[in-house]
Amino acid sequence: QKEVEQNSGPLSVPEGAIASLNCTYSDRGSQSFFWYRQYSGKSPELIMFIYSNGDKEDGRFTAQLNKASQYVSLLIRDSQPSDSATYLCAVNDYGQNFVFGPGTRLSVLP
Amino acid sequence: DGGITQSPKYLFRKEGQNVTLSCEQNLNHDAMYWYRQDPGQGLRLIYYSQIVNDFQKGDIAEGYSVSREKKESFPLTVTSAQKNPTAFYLCASSISRAGVTKNIQYFGAGTRLSVL
């Protein structure tokens, strides 16, 4: 059974701080990794994807991948109240299988 | 405007009734998926399809049925056998060709199903 684990939270950070979200996965065959943001009552929205070990930056978001440790993280710099949402981690094996974690609820406090 | 369209946004089911949720995509994606999400929970895979006229059961297929007669369309029927259908249903699609590095999954806006 392929599994993706995340802390359910809530993770609370003050406005302007760095939010750090973590994800571990069980399948060493996983090749691509995704972070989705889901606002309450809405569908998931892709915010980052990463394929290679190391860091990938896009604006205030940085995804970090360590395949040896089977670990992927998302850093959100200068967190804003509008970043308050549930963040879903997903992994893919280059086939049709996407496995999602349960999500981490982030609360950014003004 | 490219994307995935789900309808209706809200749906109510009476006991013993089958209901069908629509999902249409114009992204020319090969694969389509149906997920169920319960409050405070992650996504659970119901069915997926990689090509027309072919589909596979996911983790929670009991009480659901699908068809894939066209590449663009992947409707989900919630049958009367599904005793607890109240949930948020999400349709997704992806390119899904083997070895494609950017096999990204995109989601529709979702259908919220409730039981009367």
Side-chain angles (χ1 to χ4, degrees):
Chain A
Q1 182 83 4
K2 300 175 183 178
E3 292 184 343
V4 175
E5 296 186 348
Q6 300 178 252
N7 289 328
S8 61
L11 172 67
S12 295
V13 300
E15 184 174 356
I18 296 175
S20 178
L21 305 165
N22 303 316
C23 172
T24 59
Y25 58 95
S26 63
D27 181 15
R28 287 198 171 272
S30 299
Q31 299 292 333
S32 50
F33 307 85
F34 307 89
W35 284 99
Y36 290 84
R37 178 177 62 201
Q38 186 176 26
Y39 292 115
S40 181
K42 302 295 185 183
S43 64
E45 170 194 12
L46 180 71
I47 54 172
M48 289 285 287
F49 59 88
I50 186 168
Y51 305 108
S52 304
N53 277 328
D55 295 0
K56 179 182 178 183
E57 187 174 318
D58 183 2
R60 296 187 296 113
F61 299 97
T62 299
Q64 299 175 316
L65 175 61
N66 184 326
K67 288 187 177 180
S69 300
Q70 296 177 242
Y71 175 91
V72 59
S73 66
L74 178 70
L75 300 178
I76 306 175
R77 290 181 299 281
D78 188 24
S79 295
Q80 301 297 310
S82 59
D83 294 325
S84 297
T86 296
Y87 289 80
L88 303 174
C89 173
V91 303
N92 176 249
D93 59 3
Y94 280 172
Q96 76 282 2
N97 296 309
F98 290 82
V99 181
F100 284 81
T104 297
R105 190 155 53 95
L106 172 66
S107 178
V108 180
L109 307 174
Chain B
D1 224 0
I4 302 168
T5 301
Q6 289 189 243
S7 62
K9 189 172 181 179
Y10 299 96
L11 186 59
F12 298 91
R13 192 191 90 167
K14 296 179 182 178
E15 193 171 338
Q17 185 182 39
N18 293 352
V19 292
T20 297
L21 286 60
S22 171
C23 179
E24 304 274 336
Q25 56 98 0
N26 60 7
L27 301 169
N28 198 32
H29 284 172
D30 296 310
M32 297 186 74
Y33 309 77
W34 276 105
Y35 293 92
R36 169 177 171 146
Q37 188 176 37
D38 292 282
Q41 304 296 313
L43 305 181
R44 292 189 289 169
L45 182 64
I46 305 172
Y47 270 98
Y48 66 96
S49 167
Q50 281 190 283
I51 57 173
V52 173
N53 293 324
D54 188 48
F55 46 83
Q56 285 78 41
K57 293 181 180 180
D59 301 320
I60 56 165
E62 186 174 349
Y64 301 96
S65 66
V66 294
S67 63
R68 186 89 185 273
E69 297 177 1
K70 300 186 299 181
K71 185 175 182 178
E72 301 80 19
S73 179
F74 192 41
L76 173 74
T77 297
V78 183
T79 74
S80 57
Q82 173 49 246
K83 298 305 180 186
N84 184 22
T86 297
F88 189 41
Y89 290 87
L90 290 160
C91 178
S93 71
S94 71
I95 294 176
S96 188
R97 286 170 215 135
V100 169
T101 57
K102 294 185 179 179
N103 191 15
I104 298 171
Q105 197 170 65
Y106 297 95
F107 287 86
T111 292
R112 196 164 297 278
L113 176 62
S114 301
V115 176
L116 290 176

